[in-house]
């Protein structure tokens, strides 16, 4: 795995990293290899209408309309198998689903991270006007 210019051991402790993610203006949602939500920042809470404690460890499909769930799972399966993530904010629109059931368009940038323990998918999301 290539070394990043940002090394978490070089001045950023876990609490600081959590604070940085939680104050980001864009929604950040991270799921594990089983598509369970493991990170859900404050902007994601505002976007989807959930508190983090209500969605952490829940399946990602809670944030997706029923019509998009199987296609989205197939896309993440492909990303997991190949390691190639092709979704970038400007070229990718997906639909989200709020806690109240309202569906809305979202721009998404998706990346894949592999650690010694697991694979994670990070989505940075912006609601489309």
């Amino acid at each position: 795995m290539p070394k990043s210019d940002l090394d978490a051991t070089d001045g950023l402790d876990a609490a600081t990293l959590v604070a940085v993610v939680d104050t980001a203006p864009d929604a950040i949602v991270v799921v594990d290899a089983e598509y369970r939500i493991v990170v859900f920042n404050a902007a994601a809470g505002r976007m989807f209408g959930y508190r983090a404690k209500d969605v952490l460890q829940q399946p990602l499909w809670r944030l997706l309309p029923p019509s998009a769930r199987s296609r989205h799972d197939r896309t993440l399966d492909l990303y997991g198998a190949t390691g190639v993530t092709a979704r970038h904010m400007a070229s990718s629109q997906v639909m989200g689903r709020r806690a109240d059931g309202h569906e809305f368009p979202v721009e998404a940038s998706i990346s894949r991270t592999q650690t010694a323990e697991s694979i994670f998918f990070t989505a940075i999301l912006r609601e489309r006007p």
Side-chain angles (χ1 to χ4, degrees):
M1 176 184 267
K3 184 160 172 66
S4 166
D5 288 339
L6 173 64
D7 186 335
T9 62
D10 290 341
L12 287 182
D13 60 19
T16 302
L17 189 55
V18 167
V20 167
V21 168
D22 208 39
T23 59
D26 292 328
I28 300 174
V29 178
V30 179
V31 298
D32 64 14
E34 286 78 38
Y35 312 141
R36 290 183 311 245
I37 300 167
V38 296
V39 174
F40 191 81
N41 75 345
R46 290 187 297 275
M47 179 182 285
F48 289 99
Y50 288 105
R51 295 177 299 177
K53 72 178 192 170
D54 296 330
V55 296
L56 290 175
Q57 296 304 315
Q58 296 297 310
L60 175 63
W61 61 257
R62 288 191 63 180
L63 307 178
L64 301 171
S67 61
R69 291 175 185 167
S70 64
R71 184 188 66 221
H72 197 273
D73 283 353
R74 284 191 308 271
T75 300
L76 287 181
D77 286 343
L78 179 64
Y79 289 169
T82 65
V84 175
T85 52
R87 286 198 169 167
H88 301 286
M89 192 77 72
S91 63
S92 180
Q93 180 178 325
V94 296
M95 295 298 289
R97 185 172 184 259
R98 297 190 207 289
D100 66 5
H102 176 77
E103 296 180 16
F104 62 102
V106 177
E107 292 178 336
S109 176
I110 301 172
S111 61
R112 175 187 179 272
T113 303
Q114 184 160 1
T115 67
E117 296 82 31
S118 190
I119 295 172
F120 297 93
F121 299 96
T122 301
I124 299 175
L125 308 164
R126 288 184 190 152
E127 190 168 352
R128 290 184 61 104

